[in-house]
Amino acid sequence: MNLIKFPLLLLSICMLMAACFSGKKNTTSNEPVSLKNVFKKDFGIGTALNTEQIQEKDPKAAVLIPQQFNMATPENIMKAEIIHPQWDNYNYELADKMVSYCEKNNIKVNGHTLIWHSQLPLFARRIQSVDSFKTFFTDHIKTIASRYDGKVYSWDVVNEALNEDGTMRKSVFLQKLGDDFVTEAFRTAQAAAPNTQLYYNDYNNEQPAKRAGCIALIKKIQSAGVRIDGVGIQGHWHLGRIPLKDIEESIIQYAALGLQVMFTELDIEVLPRNFQGADVSQRMNTTASSNPYPNGLPDSLQQKLADDYASLFKLFLKYKGKVTRVTFWGVNDGQSWLNGWPIRGRTNYPLLFDRNFLPKPAFNSVIALKRK
Ligand code: 9MR
């Protein structure tokens, strides 16, 4: 190679590498950097979808969702209260729309959720007789799981059946059906949806006591010869207090049961809160300091959030293969449930995209893990 051409060649290689590592654009096209592509070989990247997003009423979300995510969970519209409002009446409109929207955009749907004590329809809460409640329980699972078999990729068959100490929550299901109800839910789902992945989902089940209860529950299902394919750790955590050791231990222990491990409702609370978890019945009172950042998150906290997300994704990457999906609980900060819980009307910043759908430093820190 002659002396004139060599520096030119060197320059073009440098420019190509700079473009490649700039964190803004892919080199091969003008496509923005996308979570689902960057982590394609590692695990699925999901988001919760709300009604507006499913109906494509939100133009910016309509662009961002298929660009960034290859998996999605309906935030509310497949919960019993909405999909099964009366004994003999199922309302599939939004669930069908979700399925067709996701099919069109190559997004796998995780149905959420067949059996949960919360957001039950009024008629179900009023059922007195054990026999009628059993019929409701079985019909509900059979009808919905069979309708969507092959259309949704997976189901959270049972959600949040455990207390913090690992004992069974005294839900209406436990009271009416006894503590085999979880196994029975999976047995019924398995028969109705043989082509669908079946998961147990909970929050704080990375914590040792609750994890032990969760493992006992899973073993019980397995020893009854019933299929369970995965366990969801919701991942509603707090800034600066991500329980990385417990999360790592949980991935190892759950995977040792032969299950896929998923982080199913990931968000990081940056506002003051005096308890951990996601029990929707828990509330806090408004005080003068409960909404400290109505006009934007200070840079120092923005950075802390970026560091927390990077530590989490570093751990997820260490266990890729065992960790099969990471789902954020919402598309952008403005759409997060944490703006309204446990105190209404706060301005929260728990996700990777800001209120204008723009990537935050936390997005860049997560992407940067794959660019090292
Ligand atoms: O994000 C959901 C919010 O819009 C609902 O009002 C709330 C009430 O049921 O449920 C939220 O989602 C929950 C999920 O279904 C199960 N885990 C905890 C989530 C946050 O509360």
Side-chain angles (χ1 to χ4, degrees):
M1 182 166 307
N2 71 38
L3 283 173
I4 300 177
K5 277 191 186 152
F6 183 69
L8 280 177
L9 181 67
L10 206 63
L11 185 68
S12 13
I13 291 174
C14 287
M15 282 170 66
L16 195 68
M17 284 178 72
C20 200
F21 290 93
S22 69
K24 282 274 172 260
K25 303 271 178 195
N26 293 337
T27 44
T28 47
S29 70
N30 269 345
E31 270 178 43
V33 176
S34 123
L35 291 165
K36 73 170 184 190
N37 290 338
V38 167
F39 293 101
K40 190 149 95 193
K41 296 203 172 123
D42 306 311
F43 31 70
I45 297 282
T47 181
L49 294 183
N50 66 27
T51 307
E52 282 216 321
Q53 291 157 349
I54 293 166
Q55 293 175 326
E56 297 174 82
K57 283 189 177 160
D58 186 334
K60 285 188 174 167
V63 173
L64 195 80
I65 293 162
Q67 176 193 94
Q68 296 292 331
F69 304 103
N70 49 23
M71 301 207 164
T73 302
E75 186 172 3
N76 287 301
I77 55 101
M78 281 186 168
K79 291 173 181 170
E81 183 179 62
I82 296 173
I83 205 168
H84 188 182
Q86 283 153 355
W87 183 272
D88 270 331
N89 176 14
Y90 289 82
N91 180 357
Y92 298 121
E93 200 188 323
L94 285 167
D96 286 355
K97 178 76 186 76
M98 165 105 186
V99 167
S100 61
Y101 170 75
C102 289
E103 199 183 353
K104 182 173 82 182
N105 290 298
N106 286 320
I107 293 172
K108 286 180 180 161
V109 177
N110 174 56
H112 176 83
T113 168
L114 291 169
I115 295 299
W116 188 28
H117 61 276
S118 192
Q119 286 182 286
L120 276 175
L122 194 61
F123 83 87
R125 283 186 271 137
R126 286 186 173 154
I127 298 171
Q128 292 298 321
S129 103
V130 166
D131 277 351
S132 301
F133 195 83
K134 210 177 251 170
T135 305
F136 155 70
F137 173 85
T138 310
D139 286 357
H140 178 80
I141 299 174
K142 263 192 192 164
T143 311
I144 298 169
S146 61
R147 180 184 175 93
Y148 290 105
D149 190 31
K151 293 186 175 152
V152 301
Y153 178 74
S154 54
W155 271 109
D156 291 334
V157 178
V158 177
N159 193 42
E160 301 172 9
L162 293 163
N163 291 316
E164 298 309 284
D165 64 0
T167 58
M168 294 292 288
R169 184 193 285 271
K170 284 208 168 47
S171 69
V172 60
F173 294 103
L174 187 86
Q175 281 161 350
K176 290 260 176 7
L177 307 175
D179 62 9
D180 279 346
F181 86 85
V182 177
T183 303
E184 291 317 307
F186 276 83
R187 196 194 300 279
T188 311
Q190 175 180 4
N195 305 301
T196 309
Q197 297 274 295
L198 307 177
Y199 307 145
Y200 175 75
N201 192 50
D202 214 325
Y203 59 83
N204 286 350
N205 53 339
E206 77 284 355
Q207 299 293 316
K210 198 161 180 176
R211 182 208 301 147
C214 195
I215 288 173
L217 197 62
I218 292 163
K219 284 187 169 165
K220 192 170 173 182
I221 300 168
Q222 291 176 325
S223 63
V226 173
R227 176 166 66 90
I228 171 168
D229 301 295
V231 58
I233 297 173
Q234 292 182 6
H236 295 290
W237 290 308
H238 292 244
L239 191 70
R241 287 191 278 140
I242 312 288
L244 292 168
K245 278 223 168 80
D246 292 331
I247 299 170
E248 179 161 18
E249 192 53 37
S250 299
I251 298 172
I252 294 168
Q253 291 195 22
Y254 288 135
L257 301 172
L259 297 190
Q260 301 164 45
V261 183
M262 280 147 285
F263 295 89
T264 53
E265 303 185 12
L266 183 57
D267 49 26
I268 298 180
E269 172 71 274
V270 302
L271 301 182
R273 178 147 40 107
N274 54 16
F275 63 92
Q276 186 173 313
D279 184 343
V280 286
S281 64
Q282 262 180 300
R283 290 264 158 199
M284 266 169 69
N285 291 327
T286 310
T287 64
S289 56
S290 48
N291 191 26
Y293 318 116
N295 303 316
L297 193 65
D299 286 351
S300 60
L301 295 187
Q302 198 75 263
Q303 191 48 51
K304 221 170 169 187
L305 187 71
D307 294 345
D308 275 357
Y309 267 116
S311 318
L312 264 175
F313 271 75
K314 204 168 161 195
L315 185 61
F316 298 159
L317 283 170
K318 181 172 172 192
Y319 291 97
K320 67 180 177 183
K322 291 184 166 51
V323 173
T324 53
R325 167 165 61 95
V326 179
T327 293
F328 295 89
W329 206 238
V331 175
N332 82 11
D333 283 346
Q335 298 166 332
S336 163
W337 73 295
L338 289 173
N339 295 298
W341 181 90
I343 299 175
R344 279 185 226 289
R346 297 205 290 183
T347 311
N348 220 326
Y349 305 87
L351 298 167
L352 298 192
F353 294 95
D354 70 14
R355 286 171 164 71
N356 295 314
F357 296 88
L358 293 173
K360 295 161 61 178
F363 173 90
N364 296 330
S365 74
V366 161
I367 297 287
L369 293 173
K370 295 287 290 183
R371 298 264 156 105
K372 278 183 180 146

mmCIF file of all heavy atoms in Angstrom, residues 222-257:
data_model
loop_
_atom_site.group_PDB
_atom_site.id
_atom_site.type_symbol
_atom_site.label_atom_id
_atom_site.label_comp_id
_atom_site.label_asym_id
_atom_site.label_seq_id
_atom_site.Cartn_x
_atom_site.Cartn_y
_atom_site.Cartn_z
ATOM 1 N N GLN A 222 -44.408 -28.505 40.298
ATOM 2 C CA GLN A 222 -43.623 -29.489 39.540
ATOM 3 C C GLN A 222 -43.859 -30.903 40.050
ATOM 4 O O GLN A 222 -43.991 -31.843 39.270
ATOM 5 C CB GLN A 222 -42.129 -29.137 39.624
ATOM 6 C CG GLN A 222 -41.780 -27.864 38.854
ATOM 7 C CD GLN A 222 -40.324 -27.452 39.019
ATOM 8 O OE1 GLN A 222 -39.742 -27.645 40.088
ATOM 9 N NE2 GLN A 222 -39.736 -26.883 37.972
ATOM 10 N N SER A 223 -43.955 -31.054 41.385
ATOM 11 C CA SER A 223 -44.094 -32.428 41.890
ATOM 12 C C SER A 223 -45.497 -32.975 41.650
ATOM 13 O O SER A 223 -45.716 -34.186 41.737
ATOM 14 C CB SER A 223 -43.672 -32.544 43.355
ATOM 15 O OG SER A 223 -44.522 -31.746 44.116
ATOM 16 N N ALA A 224 -46.433 -32.096 41.293
ATOM 17 C CA ALA A 224 -47.769 -32.585 40.901
ATOM 18 C C ALA A 224 -47.765 -32.981 39.417
ATOM 19 O O ALA A 224 -48.803 -33.353 38.861
ATOM 20 C CB ALA A 224 -48.807 -31.505 41.163
ATOM 21 N N GLY A 225 -46.611 -32.865 38.772
ATOM 22 C CA GLY A 225 -46.514 -33.226 37.350
ATOM 23 C C GLY A 225 -47.133 -32.172 36.443
ATOM 24 O O GLY A 225 -47.496 -32.449 35.300
ATOM 25 N N VAL A 226 -47.239 -30.954 36.949
ATOM 26 C CA VAL A 226 -47.860 -29.873 36.180
ATOM 27 C C VAL A 226 -46.754 -28.967 35.625
ATOM 28 O O VAL A 226 -45.731 -28.746 36.269
ATOM 29 C CB VAL A 226 -48.845 -29.091 37.085
ATOM 30 C CG1 VAL A 226 -49.379 -27.859 36.379
ATOM 31 C CG2 VAL A 226 -49.992 -30.009 37.516
ATOM 32 N N ARG A 227 -47.001 -28.448 34.430
ATOM 33 C CA ARG A 227 -45.964 -27.641 33.757
ATOM 34 C C ARG A 227 -45.919 -26.203 34.263
ATOM 35 O O ARG A 227 -46.944 -25.543 34.344
ATOM 36 C CB ARG A 227 -46.238 -27.644 32.245
ATOM 37 C CG ARG A 227 -45.295 -26.769 31.437
ATOM 38 C CD ARG A 227 -45.396 -27.092 29.950
ATOM 39 N NE ARG A 227 -46.686 -26.772 29.359
ATOM 40 C CZ ARG A 227 -46.996 -25.593 28.806
ATOM 41 N NH1 ARG A 227 -46.099 -24.621 28.769
ATOM 42 N NH2 ARG A 227 -48.184 -25.403 28.275
ATOM 43 N N ILE A 228 -44.717 -25.740 34.571
ATOM 44 C CA ILE A 228 -44.472 -24.307 34.794
ATOM 45 C C ILE A 228 -43.167 -23.995 34.081
ATOM 46 O O ILE A 228 -42.173 -24.715 34.259
ATOM 47 C CB ILE A 228 -44.440 -23.925 36.297
ATOM 48 C CG1 ILE A 228 -43.954 -22.479 36.472
ATOM 49 C CG2 ILE A 228 -43.618 -24.884 37.153
ATOM 50 C CD1 ILE A 228 -44.159 -21.901 37.878
ATOM 51 N N ASP A 229 -43.161 -22.967 33.243
ATOM 52 C CA ASP A 229 -41.995 -22.715 32.397
ATOM 53 C C ASP A 229 -41.087 -21.610 32.919
ATOM 54 O O ASP A 229 -39.927 -21.529 32.528
ATOM 55 C CB ASP A 229 -42.454 -22.324 30.980
ATOM 56 C CG ASP A 229 -43.294 -23.407 30.346
ATOM 57 O OD1 ASP A 229 -42.757 -24.496 30.105
ATOM 58 O OD2 ASP A 229 -44.509 -23.176 30.123
ATOM 59 N N GLY A 230 -41.636 -20.740 33.748
ATOM 60 C CA GLY A 230 -40.786 -19.627 34.159
ATOM 61 C C GLY A 230 -41.319 -18.907 35.375
ATOM 62 O O GLY A 230 -42.468 -19.108 35.800
ATOM 63 N N VAL A 231 -40.430 -18.084 35.940
ATOM 64 C CA VAL A 231 -40.827 -17.275 37.096
ATOM 65 C C VAL A 231 -40.489 -15.812 36.805
ATOM 66 O O VAL A 231 -39.419 -15.510 36.270
ATOM 67 C CB VAL A 231 -40.169 -17.790 38.403
ATOM 68 C CG1 VAL A 231 -38.651 -17.807 38.312
ATOM 69 C CG2 VAL A 231 -40.605 -16.960 39.610
ATOM 70 N N GLY A 232 -41.434 -14.960 37.117
ATOM 71 C CA GLY A 232 -41.233 -13.531 36.916
ATOM 72 C C GLY A 232 -40.927 -12.849 38.234
ATOM 73 O O GLY A 232 -41.656 -13.005 39.219
ATOM 74 N N ILE A 233 -39.821 -12.107 38.238
ATOM 75 C CA ILE A 233 -39.491 -11.226 39.366
ATOM 76 C C ILE A 233 -39.881 -9.842 38.855
ATOM 77 O O ILE A 233 -39.317 -9.365 37.864
ATOM 78 C CB ILE A 233 -37.981 -11.292 39.676
ATOM 79 C CG1 ILE A 233 -37.584 -12.705 40.114
ATOM 80 C CG2 ILE A 233 -37.593 -10.248 40.720
ATOM 81 C CD1 ILE A 233 -36.069 -12.914 40.276
ATOM 82 N N GLN A 234 -40.864 -9.212 39.480
ATOM 83 C CA GLN A 234 -41.389 -7.973 38.885
ATOM 84 C C GLN A 234 -40.312 -6.891 38.775
ATOM 85 O O GLN A 234 -40.195 -6.212 37.766
ATOM 86 C CB GLN A 234 -42.594 -7.478 39.680
ATOM 87 C CG GLN A 234 -43.804 -8.398 39.539
ATOM 88 C CD GLN A 234 -45.034 -7.905 40.267
ATOM 89 O OE1 GLN A 234 -45.069 -6.799 40.815
ATOM 90 N NE2 GLN A 234 -46.067 -8.733 40.296
ATOM 91 N N GLY A 235 -39.558 -6.687 39.846
ATOM 92 C CA GLY A 235 -38.470 -5.702 39.770
ATOM 93 C C GLY A 235 -38.915 -4.263 39.950
ATOM 94 O O GLY A 235 -38.488 -3.382 39.205
ATOM 95 N N HIS A 236 -39.781 -4.028 40.942
ATOM 96 C CA HIS A 236 -40.112 -2.639 41.297
ATOM 97 C C HIS A 236 -39.139 -2.233 42.402
ATOM 98 O O HIS A 236 -39.399 -2.450 43.583
ATOM 99 C CB HIS A 236 -41.563 -2.551 41.798
ATOM 100 C CG HIS A 236 -42.568 -2.895 40.739
ATOM 101 N ND1 HIS A 236 -42.803 -2.080 39.650
ATOM 102 C CD2 HIS A 236 -43.391 -3.961 40.592
ATOM 103 C CE1 HIS A 236 -43.739 -2.638 38.882
ATOM 104 N NE2 HIS A 236 -44.105 -3.777 39.434
ATOM 105 N N TRP A 237 -38.005 -1.645 41.986
ATOM 106 C CA TRP A 237 -36.946 -1.354 42.966
ATOM 107 C C TRP A 237 -36.778 0.143 43.206
ATOM 108 O O TRP A 237 -37.478 0.959 42.585
ATOM 109 C CB TRP A 237 -35.646 -2.015 42.507
ATOM 110 C CG TRP A 237 -35.705 -3.519 42.618
ATOM 111 C CD1 TRP A 237 -36.050 -4.238 43.727
ATOM 112 C CD2 TRP A 237 -35.431 -4.484 41.603
ATOM 113 N NE1 TRP A 237 -35.998 -5.585 43.467
ATOM 114 C CE2 TRP A 237 -35.622 -5.768 42.170
ATOM 115 C CE3 TRP A 237 -35.030 -4.412 40.262
ATOM 116 C CZ2 TRP A 237 -35.428 -6.956 41.444
ATOM 117 C CZ3 TRP A 237 -34.840 -5.594 39.543
ATOM 118 C CH2 TRP A 237 -35.042 -6.839 40.138
ATOM 119 N N HIS A 238 -35.831 0.467 44.120
ATOM 120 C CA HIS A 238 -35.633 1.865 44.538
ATOM 121 C C HIS A 238 -34.225 2.345 44.213
ATOM 122 O O HIS A 238 -33.258 1.587 44.372
ATOM 123 C CB HIS A 238 -35.833 1.993 46.058
ATOM 124 C CG HIS A 238 -37.238 1.759 46.484
ATOM 125 N ND1 HIS A 238 -38.013 2.732 47.058
ATOM 126 C CD2 HIS A 238 -38.021 0.652 46.385
ATOM 127 C CE1 HIS A 238 -39.207 2.238 47.316
ATOM 128 N NE2 HIS A 238 -39.243 0.978 46.915
ATOM 129 N N LEU A 239 -34.138 3.619 43.845
ATOM 130 C CA LEU A 239 -32.859 4.232 43.492
ATOM 131 C C LEU A 239 -31.822 4.027 44.609
ATOM 132 O O LEU A 239 -32.107 4.296 45.782
ATOM 133 C CB LEU A 239 -33.074 5.736 43.277
ATOM 134 C CG LEU A 239 -31.901 6.486 42.648
ATOM 135 C CD1 LEU A 239 -31.723 6.084 41.195
ATOM 136 C CD2 LEU A 239 -32.111 7.998 42.741
ATOM 137 N N GLY A 240 -30.643 3.555 44.212
ATOM 138 C CA GLY A 240 -29.557 3.378 45.184
ATOM 139 C C GLY A 240 -29.740 2.179 46.094
ATOM 140 O O GLY A 240 -28.912 1.938 46.979
ATOM 141 N N ARG A 241 -30.818 1.436 45.899
ATOM 142 C CA ARG A 241 -31.063 0.289 46.794
ATOM 143 C C ARG A 241 -31.476 -0.952 45.997
ATOM 144 O O ARG A 241 -32.419 -1.654 46.348
ATOM 145 C CB ARG A 241 -32.158 0.643 47.809
ATOM 146 C CG ARG A 241 -31.696 1.605 48.874
ATOM 147 C CD ARG A 241 -32.707 1.719 49.988
ATOM 148 N NE ARG A 241 -33.767 2.652 49.646
ATOM 149 C CZ ARG A 241 -35.050 2.452 49.926
ATOM 150 N NH1 ARG A 241 -35.446 1.335 50.510
ATOM 151 N NH2 ARG A 241 -35.935 3.364 49.607
ATOM 152 N N ILE A 242 -30.766 -1.180 44.894
ATOM 153 C CA ILE A 242 -31.107 -2.370 44.098
ATOM 154 C C ILE A 242 -30.487 -3.596 44.788
ATOM 155 O O ILE A 242 -29.271 -3.616 45.011
ATOM 156 C CB ILE A 242 -30.543 -2.262 42.655
ATOM 157 C CG1 ILE A 242 -30.855 -0.902 42.028
ATOM 158 C CG2 ILE A 242 -31.056 -3.419 41.793
ATOM 159 C CD1 ILE A 242 -32.263 -0.651 41.649
ATOM 160 N N PRO A 243 -31.296 -4.594 45.129
ATOM 161 C CA PRO A 243 -30.744 -5.743 45.880
ATOM 162 C C PRO A 243 -30.007 -6.723 44.969
ATOM 163 O O PRO A 243 -30.449 -7.860 44.750
ATOM 164 C CB PRO A 243 -32.001 -6.375 46.489
ATOM 165 C CG PRO A 243 -33.110 -6.020 45.555
ATOM 166 C CD PRO A 243 -32.748 -4.716 44.902
ATOM 167 N N LEU A 244 -28.849 -6.283 44.453
ATOM 168 C CA LEU A 244 -28.160 -7.066 43.428
ATOM 169 C C LEU A 244 -27.803 -8.488 43.883
ATOM 170 O O LEU A 244 -27.940 -9.445 43.123
ATOM 171 C CB LEU A 244 -26.899 -6.326 42.963
ATOM 172 C CG LEU A 244 -27.175 -5.027 42.190
ATOM 173 C CD1 LEU A 244 -25.897 -4.218 42.021
ATOM 174 C CD2 LEU A 244 -27.803 -5.306 40.820
ATOM 175 N N LYS A 245 -27.348 -8.597 45.137
ATOM 176 C CA LYS A 245 -26.951 -9.943 45.644
ATOM 177 C C LYS A 245 -28.156 -10.881 45.662
ATOM 178 O O LYS A 245 -28.070 -12.037 45.256
ATOM 179 C CB LYS A 245 -26.404 -9.815 47.072
ATOM 180 C CG LYS A 245 -24.956 -9.381 47.115
ATOM 181 C CD LYS A 245 -24.189 -10.215 48.174
ATOM 182 C CE LYS A 245 -22.702 -10.023 48.050
ATOM 183 N NZ LYS A 245 -22.248 -8.756 48.697
ATOM 184 N N ASP A 246 -29.273 -10.368 46.174
ATOM 185 C CA ASP A 246 -30.486 -11.194 46.242
ATOM 186 C C ASP A 246 -30.982 -11.542 44.835
ATOM 187 O O ASP A 246 -31.491 -12.640 44.594
ATOM 188 C CB ASP A 246 -31.605 -10.458 46.998
ATOM 189 C CG ASP A 246 -31.280 -10.299 48.480
ATOM 190 O OD1 ASP A 246 -30.552 -11.156 49.014
ATOM 191 O OD2 ASP A 246 -31.744 -9.320 49.082
ATOM 192 N N ILE A 247 -30.850 -10.589 43.934
ATOM 193 C CA ILE A 247 -31.299 -10.848 42.558
ATOM 194 C C ILE A 247 -30.439 -11.951 41.943
ATOM 195 O O ILE A 247 -30.953 -12.903 41.343
ATOM 196 C CB ILE A 247 -31.237 -9.555 41.702
ATOM 197 C CG1 ILE A 247 -32.158 -8.475 42.282
ATOM 198 C CG2 ILE A 247 -31.610 -9.852 40.256
ATOM 199 C CD1 ILE A 247 -31.984 -7.096 41.662
ATOM 200 N N GLU A 248 -29.131 -11.843 42.140
ATOM 201 C CA GLU A 248 -28.229 -12.847 41.561
ATOM 202 C C GLU A 248 -28.523 -14.235 42.138
ATOM 203 O O GLU A 248 -28.654 -15.218 41.402
ATOM 204 C CB GLU A 248 -26.769 -12.450 41.826
ATOM 205 C CG GLU A 248 -25.796 -13.481 41.274
ATOM 206 C CD GLU A 248 -24.383 -12.937 41.094
ATOM 207 O OE1 GLU A 248 -24.045 -11.896 41.694
ATOM 208 O OE2 GLU A 248 -23.611 -13.586 40.351
ATOM 209 N N GLU A 249 -28.658 -14.278 43.450
ATOM 210 C CA GLU A 249 -28.952 -15.563 44.111
ATOM 211 C C GLU A 249 -30.281 -16.138 43.598
ATOM 212 O O GLU A 249 -30.425 -17.343 43.400
ATOM 213 C CB GLU A 249 -28.999 -15.310 45.630
ATOM 214 C CG GLU A 249 -28.997 -16.546 46.493
ATOM 215 C CD GLU A 249 -27.862 -17.521 46.202
ATOM 216 O OE1 GLU A 249 -26.744 -17.075 45.896
ATOM 217 O OE2 GLU A 249 -28.122 -18.747 46.257
ATOM 218 N N SER A 250 -31.231 -15.248 43.351
ATOM 219 C CA SER A 250 -32.547 -15.698 42.872
ATOM 220 C C SER A 250 -32.450 -16.265 41.461
ATOM 221 O O SER A 250 -33.070 -17.295 41.165
ATOM 222 C CB SER A 250 -33.547 -14.542 42.883
ATOM 223 O OG SER A 250 -33.697 -14.062 44.187
ATOM 224 N N ILE A 251 -31.688 -15.590 40.611
ATOM 225 C CA ILE A 251 -31.536 -16.113 39.237
ATOM 226 C C ILE A 251 -30.975 -17.529 39.317
ATOM 227 O O ILE A 251 -31.482 -18.465 38.685
ATOM 228 C CB ILE A 251 -30.604 -15.199 38.390
ATOM 229 C CG1 ILE A 251 -31.186 -13.800 38.238
ATOM 230 C CG2 ILE A 251 -30.341 -15.826 37.020
ATOM 231 C CD1 ILE A 251 -30.245 -12.773 37.587
ATOM 232 N N ILE A 252 -29.942 -17.689 40.140
ATOM 233 C CA ILE A 252 -29.287 -19.002 40.247
ATOM 234 C C ILE A 252 -30.275 -20.053 40.775
ATOM 235 O O ILE A 252 -30.421 -21.137 40.212
ATOM 236 C CB ILE A 252 -28.044 -18.904 41.173
ATOM 237 C CG1 ILE A 252 -26.981 -18.008 40.509
ATOM 238 C CG2 ILE A 252 -27.477 -20.282 41.495
ATOM 239 C CD1 ILE A 252 -25.834 -17.596 41.419
ATOM 240 N N GLN A 253 -30.975 -19.692 41.856
ATOM 241 C CA GLN A 253 -31.852 -20.698 42.485
ATOM 242 C C GLN A 253 -33.081 -21.030 41.628
ATOM 243 O O GLN A 253 -33.486 -22.180 41.531
ATOM 244 C CB GLN A 253 -32.294 -20.214 43.865
ATOM 245 C CG GLN A 253 -31.123 -20.189 44.842
ATOM 246 C CD GLN A 253 -31.586 -20.075 46.287
ATOM 247 O OE1 GLN A 253 -32.718 -20.406 46.629
ATOM 248 N NE2 GLN A 253 -30.706 -19.596 47.141
ATOM 249 N N TYR A 254 -33.673 -20.031 41.019
ATOM 250 C CA TYR A 254 -34.850 -20.315 40.174
ATOM 251 C C TYR A 254 -34.429 -21.102 38.928
ATOM 252 O O TYR A 254 -35.116 -22.031 38.505
ATOM 253 C CB TYR A 254 -35.552 -19.016 39.759
ATOM 254 C CG TYR A 254 -36.313 -18.326 40.879
ATOM 255 C CD1 TYR A 254 -36.213 -16.949 41.067
ATOM 256 C CD2 TYR A 254 -37.152 -19.040 41.728
ATOM 257 C CE1 TYR A 254 -36.918 -16.299 42.080
ATOM 258 C CE2 TYR A 254 -37.856 -18.409 42.739
ATOM 259 C CZ TYR A 254 -37.734 -17.040 42.913
ATOM 260 O OH TYR A 254 -38.431 -16.421 43.914
ATOM 261 N N ALA A 255 -33.300 -20.714 38.351
ATOM 262 C CA ALA A 255 -32.852 -21.414 37.137
ATOM 263 C C ALA A 255 -32.523 -22.874 37.455
ATOM 264 O O ALA A 255 -32.733 -23.763 36.626
ATOM 265 C CB ALA A 255 -31.648 -20.706 36.533
ATOM 266 N N ALA A 256 -32.054 -23.117 38.692
ATOM 267 C CA ALA A 256 -31.729 -24.502 39.087
ATOM 268 C C ALA A 256 -32.980 -25.382 39.126
ATOM 269 O O ALA A 256 -32.882 -26.611 39.084
ATOM 270 C CB ALA A 256 -31.038 -24.500 40.449
ATOM 271 N N LEU A 257 -34.149 -24.764 39.169
ATOM 272 C CA LEU A 257 -35.396 -25.549 39.124
ATOM 273 C C LEU A 257 -35.799 -25.866 37.680
ATOM 274 O O LEU A 257 -36.871 -26.422 37.431
ATOM 275 C CB LEU A 257 -36.532 -24.771 39.796
ATOM 276 C CG LEU A 257 -36.342 -24.379 41.266
ATOM 277 C CD1 LEU A 257 -37.450 -23.441 41.727
ATOM 278 C CD2 LEU A 257 -36.320 -25.631 42.136
#
